[in-house]
Each structure stands twice: as structure tokens, then as C-alpha cells.
Amino acid sequence: FIMNRFLRIFMWILFLAALFIAIAYFLPKEVNVERTARIEASPKTVYSQVIDLHQWSYWSTWSQIDPEMEVEYLQNGVGVDAGYKWSSDNKNVGSGSLRIASASQLDSIKIIMEFDGQGTANSAYFFTEKEGQTDVTWTFRFDVGNNPLMRWMGIMIKKSVGRAYETGLTNLSARCKVLEQEQEFVVLVDKIEPFYYASIRGEVPFVEISLKMGEMYGQIGTFLAENEMEMAGMPFSFYHLMDDEKIDLECGIPISHIIEGNNLVKTGSFQKTKCATLDFYGD
């Protein structure tokens, strides 16, 4: 009697295990999460808070869960190929690394995440301007593979990530609102492609900078007209050195191809580089 009872229990265990495995293969192989929020800020402000990983501490859900989380930034932590490694004793944060795989300025950011011992996930942010505000769509994709246990865990992962994304977007919205209300500078790293230019450089008294810039651009315009050339881009200026009294100023205008300069106007080529950009409005 006892043996029969144990045998029945054993058979039930086998049956439930088989059922557990069988149902698992009907569960999704991928965990897909998507959340969207409208943020009362410009795409530039919102984009700047995501492309710069140093800013994540202000709005990331996981930074709030464990403010003591250890973070090591990679490639300066800003822009494509930048990333960071994180480590936390909190089981809801864990350890891993992430890297910005690609980005389209003010449009999208794609990220690859490596969770220590748990695999790789892909995340993306999409930014769409709507009536002076920004719709942000945040996605998450994780392949749980063919492991039955991982497929069951995928259900919990989806719920957990979904809640974290909702909280993160709420935090991001609050952060961006504050930045715009306080008119904080928004700095972005951008690429400058190679171009040809004509320019004038000289020392200018600080108090005469506006007047001298006008003169320089006028002289460059005259030079271009004499050579039957048109502007190939927006005018630019470099402040090579400056103090309280004077500026080593260079004003230039992009041109379509290189030509010979003269005693006043020089021509040259600007090499491809990266720069930090911001919009400043004022006197």
C-alpha cells in the first residue's frame, strides 16, 4: 500500500513536470516590452538625457532602487559606443554592462545590455516631436531561448521591466521639465563632417566683437563674390584664445571646393571631428 502511494505521488510529480515543460514551449521565446509617454519638453532636451549616460542617475528606475550602485563609465559615457558597467548587491538591480550601439540625432538611440549570467537584451528609445512636446517610446527585447524555466521567468521579467519603464519615463519627464523651466544648457556631442572654408583671423578687442564679426563676414562675402562662389553652409566662428580685453577670432564661411586665398582671406579644409554643441540665446 505504501509503495503504491509513493508510486502515485512520483507519477503525479512526473506528470506535473512534463506539463510544466510542455506549457513552457507554448510561451513566447522573446520578452518584448514597449512603453510610450509624452514629455513636455523638446526632443533635444529629452534626447540629451538619454544619450549622456551620466544623466541616467537622475531618472533611471534602477538608480533609484539602489543609489549606491557602482558604475564605471566606458568611452566617456556619452554618444555611440559609450557605455557603463554596473554592480549592485540588490537582487533587483544585479550586475552587467550596456553599450550605446547606434544613435540618430534627436530621433533614436539603440542599446545592447549584457546581464551577468543571464544573457543579452536590446533596448531602444524613439523620439517624436508632437506640438512642441516629445513622445518617447522605450522598448525592450530579450530572447529567453528554449530553457523551459527561462520561458516561465519571461512572464515575470515582462511585468517587472514594464513597471520599471513606466517609472523611468515618469522620472525622465520630471527631469526634462525642470531643465526647461530653469533654462539649463543642453549639451550634445555631435559630429562635424569635413568641409572647405574661407576665413579671416585676427585679434579683436572684446568690446568690438560684434562690429568686427560683421566686417569679417562682409569681407569674406566680397571675396566669394569676386571668385563667383556661393556659401556651402552656415557661417561659423572660432575663439582661439580670449581674455578680458581681446579675442583671437576667426570667422569663416563653408565653400564647395578649395580655391586660392589672398592676403586677407585664407582658405582651407576642416577635418572630421566631434564637438560639444549647445544653443545659447542672449545679448
Side-chain angles (χ1 to χ4, degrees), residues 42-101:
S42 68
K44 185 171 184 178
T45 297
V46 182
Y47 180 90
S48 71
Q49 299 306 295
V50 182
I51 198 67
D52 182 352
L53 300 176
H54 299 87
Q55 305 303 319
W56 285 31
S57 61
Y58 293 103
W59 59 268
S60 169
T61 305
W62 295 279
S63 293
Q64 289 188 337
I65 293 174
D66 183 8
E68 303 302 319
M69 175 176 66
E70 295 182 5
V71 174
E72 177 188 352
Y73 293 100
L74 309 173
Q75 297 292 326
N76 299 317
V78 183
V80 175
D81 289 331
Y84 71 56
K85 297 179 181 179
W86 78 88
S87 178
S88 170
D89 294 330
N90 189 304
K91 66 179 182 179
N92 294 316
V93 178
S95 301
S97 63
L98 61 83
R99 179 177 65 87
I100 299 177

Side-chain angles (χ1 to χ4, degrees), residues 92-276:
N92 294 316
V93 178
S95 301
S97 63
L98 61 83
R99 179 177 65 87
I100 299 177
S102 64
S104 177
Q105 192 85 305
L106 308 185
D107 180 72
S108 63
I109 298 171
K110 296 183 179 179
I111 293 173
I112 297 174
M113 295 178 289
E114 298 280 351
F115 301 102
D116 288 354
Q118 298 183 37
T120 302
N122 293 279
S123 179
Y125 300 81
F126 300 93
F127 310 92
T128 305
E129 185 173 9
K130 291 286 182 68
E131 299 174 353
Q133 302 179 32
T134 305
D135 282 352
V136 182
T137 298
W138 190 1
T139 67
F140 175 88
R141 182 169 60 84
F142 178 57
D143 189 340
V144 296
N146 294 317
N147 186 316
L149 180 59
M150 287 300 296
R151 290 206 177 187
W152 279 102
M153 288 182 63
I155 298 174
M156 294 182 289
I157 292 172
K158 185 169 185 175
K159 290 182 179 179
S160 175
V161 172
R163 288 193 297 268
Y165 272 28
E166 290 165 6
T167 301
L169 287 171
T170 299
N171 296 339
L172 180 61
S173 177
R175 169 70 174 165
C176 292
K177 286 181 183 178
V178 169
L179 289 173
E180 295 214 337
Q181 288 171 357
E182 297 184 357
Q183 297 182 332
E184 294 284 345
F185 289 132
V186 174
V187 179
L188 293 177
V189 174
D190 202 357
K191 291 181 179 179
I192 297 180
E193 298 298 327
F195 64 89
Y196 299 114
Y197 66 87
S199 70
I200 297 175
R201 179 176 176 177
E203 279 195 356
V204 174
F206 193 85
V207 295
E208 297 180 11
I209 184 171
S210 296
L211 175 64
K212 294 299 182 181
M213 287 181 74
E215 290 180 1
M216 287 182 175
Y217 286 127
Q219 291 166 334
I220 298 170
T222 300
F223 170 79
L224 296 183
E226 291 173 349
N227 288 273
E228 298 181 348
M229 295 193 69
E230 295 183 356
M231 293 172 50
M234 294 296 293
F236 63 88
S237 62
F238 294 132
Y239 293 7
H240 293 282
L241 290 171
M242 62 186 300
D243 56 33
D244 293 337
E245 297 181 358
K246 60 183 181 301
I247 297 175
D248 181 0
L249 175 68
E250 182 176 5
C251 291
I253 295 176
I255 54 179
S256 59
H257 58 275
I258 199 71
I259 59 173
E260 186 176 352
N262 58 29
N263 293 333
L264 179 64
V265 180
K266 74 170 186 176
T267 59
S269 61
F270 193 87
Q271 301 303 309
K272 182 177 181 178
T273 188
K274 287 184 178 180
C275 68

